Structure formats: C-alpha cells, structure tokens
Amino acid sequence: MARNKKKAFKSRKRTDDNEVVVNKDGWTNRPSMPEREGEWTMDWSNARFEAYYRHFQKVLPTDEWDTFMEYMRKTLPTTFRLPAGKLTTPTIADIIATIHIPHLSGIEFEGEKVDPPRILSWYPRGLGYEFSAPKRVLRKLPEMKEFHQFLVYQTEVGNISRQEAVSMVPPLLLDVQPDHVVLDACASPGSKTAQLVEALHTKTDPITGEASFVPFPSGIVIANDAEYTRAQLLVHQSARLPSPSLMVTNLDASLFPTLRLENGEQVFFDRILCDVPCSGDGTLRKNVGIWKKWSTGDGNGLHSLQLRILLRAMNMLRPGGKIVYSTCSMNPLENEAVLAAALNVNPGQYILAPTSDLLPGLIRRPGLSYWKVATNVSTNETEVITGEDLSGQRDFDSYEAYCQATDGGEMKNTGGFFVALIHKLPGQGSEPEAMLIPDPITNPDDGTTTPDDSVPKSPTKRAGSPPPQQPPSKKVKVAKNVHSKSKGSAQSGMVIGSVGTNPGGAVFKEAPFTFIHEMDPLLQESLKRLHLKTSFPSANVFVRHPPTDYMKTFYFCNLLVKSVILHNQLERIRLVSAGVKAFSRQDMGPANSLPDPPIPDDNVQLGGSGDTNGGTSINYPRDRQVALRFTNEGILTVVGFVNDEVKIPADLETLKRLLSLQFPLLDQLVSGSFAELIRPKSTGSYIVIVEPGNTEDGVLRHTLILPLWKSSTSVSLMVDKQGKSAISLQVFGKDVSQPSKAEDNSAKGKTGDLEDEL
C-alpha cells in the first residue's frame, strides 16, 4: 500500500486550480506543454470563450478585452510566500532581501534584462514574492540557478511555499486565530490548507503587529478532500508543516457529517474555506488544454455541486463565523449565481461582507450583479442563444470579488480568480429554519452518510477530479476491547480503522488511532528519560496501529483533535491522518530491567471507555531495552514541555560538524561547551539549541532547535538530508551536508553502535 501511495504522489498533478505541488524535477508542477517565451507562437484562442465572456456575460469593459486576452496568452509569473510567525521566516526574508535580490539585479540574459524577485505589495508583512524569469533562464543563468536551488531546498522543509498569487487570497480573508475551529472543505493539494495551519500557529500582537509562533494552539484545522488519493496528497504536503492541530478527512464536502465532542456536543466551525470544484477557466495561462475544450456546459454542470457544498458549510458555521467561497473560474454561474441561491435559502442569516478594506494594495473588481444562463453560445456574437435570466434571484446589491485580474495593471498580472466573504450574523440559530441541504443521514448499520432524496444531484464532475478511487486492498487489524463501556458514538481509547463506505461508494480502510494510557509504565519510563515536564499532556499520545503490534512511532495531538477522534465513528468521518509525529521508538539493546505490566485499578481502565483519560497499554519486545527519541517533525511542538537537562547549547562550528558528518565521533567534536556537555551524558535523545551568531563562513539569524541522538561513542543529528541542506544554505550560504570522501571514510567502521541503534 505504501508503494502505491508514493506512486500517487509522483504522478498525480492537480491541473484544475491555482495551486501547485513541488516535485523532484523542479520547483513547479505545471502541466507538460511547450515552453512559452512571452506570447505563444500559435494562435491560442476559443471563439466560444470570447463570445460568452465578452458579449454574453460582459465580464469586462469592452475597451479592456484586448489587453485581457493579450495577458491570457503570456507566461504566468512565479510567486511564492513565507509563513508568518515561523522562526525561520525573518532569516529567509533577510537572505532574499540582502543576498538574492541584489545579486539578481541588473543582470541580462541573451541581451534581455532579467528582473529580480519583487515583493507583492498587498501580501501581509511583505512575505509574498513574484518573479517572471522564464524556465530557460532558471536553467542556464548561474545566478538564477543558485536562487532556484535555494528555493527548492527551503520549499522541501516548509520554509517557503510555492503558490499562485490569487490562490493566496482566500485564506488571508478568513483571519484565522490560534483558537479557531477551521474546515478546508475541498483542500487538496494543500497550499491553502498550509496557510490556514500557519495562521493557526501564529499570534499577532495587537499593538505592534508583530507575529510570533504558537507551537501548541488549542484550535484545529480539518483538511478534507473527496478523492482518496488527493487526501493522501494532503498528508504528504502537510508533512512540511507538521501540526498537532491538523486532521485530514476523505469525505464528500456536500455531505460532510456532523462532528461530535464529549457529551454529544456538536462541533461548529469558526472559519470555513469552500474552494470548490470548478471549470478552472481562470487558469488558462497555465492549463492551456482548456483553450481547446472550453464550453458553457462546464460551469452549468458544476453549479449544483458548488451550491450543495456551500449550503452544507453554512449549516456548520458558528454564529459570527466566516466562510470564504472561491473558485478559479470567471463564470458567474459558478460564482455569483451560487452565492445568490445560497443566500436566498437562508434569508437574513448571512451577509456578503465587503473586502475592499482588506489586503490594501490588492487590485480587485466588484462581482457582477447581472448574469445570464446559456445552454450554448454561438461563435457569431449576434447569434447568442440565451437561457433563463437568474439575476433577479439575487438578494444583494454588490460586493467585492477578486474575479478578473489580468488587464495589464501593475498588480494584475495573475490568473483569473473569484473570492467572496460571507459572515453569519451573531445571534442566529445554529440550525437555520430554511435549509435546502439537511444534515446528512447516518445509516444505523454501518455509520456512513447518505444524502437526503430531496437534494439535487450534480450531473457532472470537473475534469481532473474523478470520483473517489478505491484504494488497493489491505488487511485491517481489528482488536476487541474487553474493557469498553462506551455509549452512543463515543469510542474507546483505541479507535479502529474499520471498513466503511463513502457516499460516493469508495471503500475506506485506514489504520487505527490507538491512544496510549497516560499511566502506562513504558510510556512513563520513556517520557522520564526524555525529561519531559509533568505538564506534558501524555494522554494525547497515540499510535497508528492496534496495541497487538510493537509500537514504533508515537503521534501527538491537542485535546480538541483527540476529542473528535474518540467521539466520532472513524468510518463515518473517514479520518486519514491526525496530529504530528512526536517520538520514535529506539531499540537500546538487551533489557536489564523493564517496568512491570500495567495493572488496572478502580480509577484506571486501560483500553477504557470514551473518557479522555482512557487508553491502551504499549506492547513491546520484553527482551529489549526501549526508549523514545525526539523527531524533527515534532520538536517545536514538544520543546516547551522539555526540561533543561536535555537541551545542549552549540555554536556554529559544532553545527557545521553535525551537518557535514552523519555520525561524528565524540572525539571528532570541536572543543567547546557542546563537546564538554554531551560527552558525560548517558545514551539517549537530546535537543541541540544553536543561538544566533556568526563566524567567518556563516551567519545564523534565528535560534535553531534540532533533535540529536547520543550513543556511547558518537552522536547524530536527527534531521534528513533535505533539512540539513536547507539549514546549510541558510547559515553558510552553501550545502555543507555533503561530507568529503576522506571524512566519510575516516568515520566508517567506528560508528557501528549508533548505526545499529538508528
């Protein structure tokens, strides 16, 4: 199964919205097509497209149309952003501003001036960038190749996100806070989800406006996608931004089930992003196949599905909450008409909020207040076949929407996009009286959801988003819980990934979420060795397999995520992933002494009921010493719970040695406080703290927090190759993580003990 998932990540590319996925071949996943330098050499056009938008819907003033079409045939600029609040962000921004932008200024290629990256003026804190260098320049110009390498490495570790400019807008309008409950209803491939998670982990000072990192927010982001392979892609993408507050589900967004907490309390969302399936004709600048296949039926056929998704989101929104509805389409049948219909279903409960005072510097246009429905549009502008005029159904005058953005202005060299911000008025009931889409009905037999018969069915699915695929068959281990006393939908400490079906018919098979009892002796002994404080919420530690298996990787989540997992049937919410990988099991050789097996008492029920203190015990080989070690993915989440005994300060010279050698021997460490502090330490997991400073060949602008494993003779930085390369480029301006052959050979044969352990 794992091999099949990896193949999906390499081959699956989303070509129907404004987001991209980093791949190993470069920093973009634009569809295969001839490279454009300026304009296409061929006449890329569609007479029906022009007749529909220019003469039928009149989305632009007539005098702007030619400029609009000129830009539609030009290469889309490359844009990227930095996450606000992340510890590395000031360093990355400073490197771009002081090194790369000056280095790329004033250069020419084949007689033409090459513009350096520039800041998107409307993006908060100046953390968005744009540059327009063609691919051939990136490949051949040495200065650009160096910048490209820097971007690739920083993207791999989550310090930079490659994302189209218009795609950055919807999450910014939601204004997510660390305590919010957030749903990304149609999330894959995950660029907008990453923005939402970043916002959840960011606290902004109301006076200074400065952003700071929140390692353990109380809120939650649920990222959902209807297709299983795309839900797995969300998991893959979220690995670059690990969070204890993230959940990934595989559901039809129009039938998203009601979530419950302890005591049956319903989960309502503070923020919902509906970046719905659409025809995608706003992406013509990168998805050139749309020029040939575009038709009016694309938008008409998706209207019903888009409306059902929005109505379901409105039903799950908390009073006072916000929804952003967005598409990468310019068609009012997918945009304004959907909003008008949804607002008419819920009169007086929601308002379309103006956004003109948000994101200053962002040039946008008001949405249309009049539109038509067409079943066909002739290529002759005088023979347009019109359908029913639905504009009279609207219950709003106007609103701000970023829907047309390519008419040649300074900030308009983007793709087409539509965004609307919806507020639910305070004091409104959670369940509106007039609802087109009722709450999905739960089947008593298998816990799955089915649509109500009165719900209109969408006749088509968008290109590039087929119905959910059945994953390759795999066996699911189900363990009976003899201690369970749960009632209703509350689950025991072990939530089994049993077989269920999606409303689309796809079989769902996932590994279980097994919470470890916080009083388990092995867990307590392992946490003691890690020197975690008593404030660490050990009841939130879980594994992704039944307790009958030896436990290797331990995950960690916040209380809200745990409550959702324990009090909802897993096959109903189709949970694919949750939390962050916090610890890995470390085999330390033959056992000398091991804790006794757990003994339940009146107050502790191992594998107990749905109570949040319940859980199961750890299964492990009784003849081996077992310890836990910190992981790089979870280090920022747990470091605040760690005592100072395992935090070892290091300077830049030591950092360089740790980066360049995989298993440096203790006697290879340069003299200094780190070497003196680490040598007498017992075998185990530690945290390296590198404070800002500089040497002759390196500058560190922010504190580095990295996991380390120490054996009896050597140490190893527990960071993968991509992470080491990214740190190298940040600090030393070059990749020092590749050891010389002499260094590599000198260490071979002397580090067997550590290699065996790892």
Side-chain angles (χ1 to χ4, degrees):
M1 180 65 186
R3 286 193 294 269
N4 290 331
K5 291 180 181 178
K6 289 181 180 178
K7 288 180 181 178
F9 297 151
K10 292 181 180 179
S11 62
R12 184 71 181 172
K13 296 181 180 180
R14 182 170 183 173
T15 60
D16 50 358
D17 75 358
N18 289 53
E19 299 171 350
V20 297
V21 181
V22 176
N23 57 40
K24 293 182 178 180
D25 297 327
W27 197 51
T28 176
N29 72 332
R30 289 178 183 165
S32 299
M33 59 185 181
E35 184 175 343
R36 288 189 288 185
E37 301 300 340
E39 297 185 5
W40 287 98
T41 56
M42 298 177 63
D43 181 21
W44 291 83
S45 62
N46 184 306
R48 293 180 181 273
F49 172 87
E50 294 194 43
Y52 181 78
Y53 282 119
R54 183 176 187 176
H55 303 292
F56 187 58
Q57 299 293 6
K58 298 180 180 179
V59 298
L60 281 173
T62 303
D63 59 352
E64 294 183 16
W65 183 261
D66 290 340
T67 304
F68 169 76
M69 292 302 294
E70 176 187 351
Y71 270 78
M72 275 296 199
R73 297 185 178 97
K74 287 187 175 182
T75 303
L76 192 67
T78 297
T79 50
F80 63 93
R81 59 177 181 80
L82 309 184
K86 195 169 183 180
L87 296 177
T88 57
T89 294
T91 297
I92 303 300
D94 186 62
I95 291 174
I96 294 173
T98 61
I99 297 177
H100 291 292
I101 291 181
H103 193 51
L104 297 173
S105 299
I107 62 175
E108 293 185 356
F109 181 76
E110 297 180 353
E112 296 183 6
K113 182 181 177 181
V114 178
D115 293 326
R118 65 183 185 89
I119 293 175
L120 296 173
S121 62
W122 53 267
Y123 198 90
R125 303 182 183 89
L127 298 179
Y129 299 83
E130 172 187 281
F131 70 103
S132 304
K135 289 182 181 179
R136 60 189 178 90
V137 176
L138 288 175
R139 296 188 188 109
K140 297 180 180 180
L141 198 63
E143 295 88 348
M144 275 292 180
K145 288 180 67 175
E146 181 180 341
F147 180 55
H148 182 259
Q149 182 188 36
F150 172 81
L151 293 177
V152 169
Y153 279 125
Q154 301 307 324
T155 302
E156 285 290 337
V157 297
N159 293 335
I160 287 176
S161 290
R162 162 70 172 94
Q163 189 175 355
E164 190 176 339
V166 290
S167 177
M168 303 175 189
V169 175
L172 294 175
L173 297 181
L174 281 174
D175 187 29
V176 171
Q177 302 298 318
D179 61 341
H180 280 168
V181 181
V182 185
L183 172 65
D184 190 351
C186 310
S188 183
S191 294
K192 298 182 187 69
T193 299
Q195 278 184 278
L196 297 174
V197 173
E198 291 164 11
L200 197 74
H201 283 268
T202 302
K203 182 179 181 181
T204 303
D205 189 294
I207 299 176
T208 65
E210 294 184 358
S212 58
F213 181 70
V214 179
F216 196 56
S218 59
I220 183 175
V221 171
I222 298 179
N224 175 71
D225 201 89
E227 186 182 339
Y228 183 78
T229 54
R230 297 175 77 153
Q232 289 294 337
L233 179 59
L234 282 171
V235 177
H236 178 70
Q237 292 290 82
S238 66
R240 297 204 301 268
L241 192 70
S243 171
S245 304
L246 176 64
M247 302 178 70
V248 177
T249 57
N250 172 216
L251 293 157
D252 180 346
S254 67
L255 297 170
F256 198 90
T258 297
L259 302 181
R260 301 289 177 181
L261 300 177
E262 193 173 4
N263 301 323
E265 178 186 355
Q266 181 176 345
V267 175
F268 288 100
F269 293 95
D270 300 288
R271 302 288 189 267
I272 301 178
L273 174 58
C274 293
D275 186 46
V276 298
C278 66
S279 62
D281 58 20
T283 69
L284 277 166
R285 297 183 69 178
K286 64 179 183 180
N287 295 330
V288 297
I290 298 177
W291 284 111
K292 295 295 183 183
K293 66 181 182 180
W294 186 92
S295 72
T296 58
D298 297 338
N300 293 350
L302 287 165
H303 174 91
S304 174
L305 172 63
Q306 293 160 340
L307 177 58
R308 288 187 285 121
I309 291 174
L310 179 56
L311 286 171
R312 183 63 189 133
M314 295 168 79
N315 193 28
M316 297 186 292
L317 189 66
R318 187 187 306 278
K322 300 178 182 179
I323 292 176
V324 161
Y325 177 87
S326 63
T327 75
C328 51
S329 168
M330 298 178 290
N331 195 336
L333 273 298
E334 301 180 70
N335 300 329
E336 289 89 344
V338 173
L339 293 170
L343 292 171
N344 282 333
V345 170
N346 302 283
Q349 299 181 46
Y350 302 86
I351 61 170
L352 279 168
T355 66
S356 54
D357 59 335
L358 305 176
L359 305 180
L362 176 66
I363 297 176
R364 66 204 89 185
R365 294 178 182 274
L368 301 177
S369 58
Y370 177 87
W371 57 88
K372 299 177 182 179
V373 179
T375 56
N376 187 23
V377 176
S378 171
T379 56
N380 187 331
E381 63 184 70
T382 63
E383 298 179 1
V384 174
I385 302 173
T386 62
E388 182 185 2
D389 183 355
L390 296 182
S391 60
Q393 295 189 18
R394 60 185 178 84
D395 62 352
F396 55 91
D397 295 324
S398 65
Y399 59 96
E400 297 293 331
Y402 191 73
C403 56
Q404 312 294 341
T406 54
D407 65 355
E410 178 188 2
M411 295 305 298
K412 297 183 181 181
N413 189 14
T414 70
F417 210 75
F418 177 90
V419 178
L421 179 61
I422 303 171
H423 285 194
K424 186 171 185 177
L425 298 176
Q428 296 297 326
S430 301
E431 299 291 341
E433 294 181 3
M435 285 301 301
L436 178 63
I437 306 299
D439 191 54
I441 301 170
T442 302
N443 295 327
D445 296 333
D446 59 9
T448 59
T449 56
T450 57
D452 185 88
D453 290 338
S454 63
V455 178
K457 308 301 188 295
S458 175
T460 62
K461 301 275 291 183
R462 61 176 165 176
S465 182
Q469 306 268 332
Q470 178 174 334
S473 178
K474 65 177 181 180
K475 293 182 179 180
V476 178
K477 300 179 180 180
V478 180
K480 294 183 178 180
N481 191 344
V482 296
H483 300 288
S484 177
K485 298 181 180 179
S486 60
K487 297 180 180 180
S489 63
Q491 300 296 302
S492 68
M494 181 181 65
V495 182
I496 290 297
S498 57
V499 178
T501 56
N502 199 31
V507 175
F508 177 71
K509 296 180 181 180
E510 273 295 325
F513 294 76
T514 307
F515 282 91
I516 309 302
H517 196 283
E518 60 182 324
M519 299 308 295
D520 179 85
L522 179 59
L523 178 64
Q524 290 299 315
E525 178 66 21
S526 299
L527 298 181
K528 182 179 179 181
R529 290 182 179 180
L530 292 175
H531 294 273
L532 291 176
K533 300 175 181 178
T534 56
S535 59
F536 176 74
S538 55
N540 294 2
V541 175
F542 65 93
V543 293
R544 289 302 311 275
H545 47 71
T548 53
D549 290 357
Y550 290 148
M551 300 186 181
K552 299 178 180 180
T553 301
F554 294 76
Y555 297 82
F556 181 59
C557 64
N558 68 12
L559 186 60
L560 185 55
V561 171
K562 179 181 179 181
S563 184
V564 171
I565 293 175
L566 289 182
H567 298 92
N568 295 272
Q569 296 173 348
L570 187 63
E571 66 273 13
R572 182 171 181 261
I573 65 174
R574 295 177 64 87
L575 184 61
V576 174
S577 176
V580 61
K581 185 166 71 174
F583 313 109
S584 288
R585 194 187 76 182
Q586 194 70 50
D587 189 344
M588 298 175 61
N592 295 323
S593 62
L594 288 169
D596 294 328
I599 300 176
D601 56 31
D602 294 336
N603 299 317
V604 177
Q605 294 183 357
L606 299 182
S609 67
D611 182 81
T612 55
N613 291 323
T616 189
S617 59
I618 297 178
N619 189 22
Y620 54 90
R622 302 294 298 173
D623 60 342
R624 309 291 293 176
Q625 289 191 79
V626 177
L628 299 183
R629 60 174 174 83
F630 300 110
T631 66
N632 194 41
E633 296 91 333
I635 192 68
L636 293 181
T637 300
V638 302
V639 67
F641 298 105
V642 180
N643 288 312
D644 293 338
E645 295 95 304
V646 294
K647 298 177 182 178
I648 312 297
D651 56 21
L652 293 187
E653 288 295 333
T654 301
L655 175 64
K656 189 174 184 179
R657 177 69 63 174
L658 294 174
L659 291 172
S660 61
L661 293 175
Q662 186 175 2
F663 301 104
L665 301 173
L666 292 176
D667 57 15
Q668 288 181 306
L669 299 176
V670 295
S671 60
S673 60
F674 177 82
E676 295 172 359
L677 289 172
I678 197 66
R679 283 194 182 101
K681 295 288 185 180
S682 60
T683 298
S685 186
Y686 296 88
I687 298 176
V688 178
I689 308 292
V690 188
E691 298 292 348
N694 61 278
T695 61
E696 293 182 357
D697 60 347
V699 177
L700 178 62
R701 298 169 176 83
H702 69 278
T703 301
L704 280 177
I705 302 173
L706 305 169
L708 179 108
W709 179 265
K710 178 189 179 295
S711 73
S712 58
T713 60
S714 57
V715 295
S716 180
L717 203 61
M718 306 308 295
V719 180
D720 62 21
K721 176 63 179 67
Q722 290 84 358
K724 288 183 177 180
S725 296
I727 295 171
S728 298
L729 292 172
Q730 289 177 36
V731 179
F732 302 105
K734 60 182 179 180
D735 192 351
V736 302
S737 62
Q738 292 284 2
S740 66
K741 290 185 178 180
E743 289 178 319
D744 191 48
N745 290 333
S746 66
K748 284 184 178 179
K750 300 180 181 180
T751 59
D753 60 328
L754 185 56
E755 289 182 295
D756 288 342
E757 291 174 10
L758 298 180

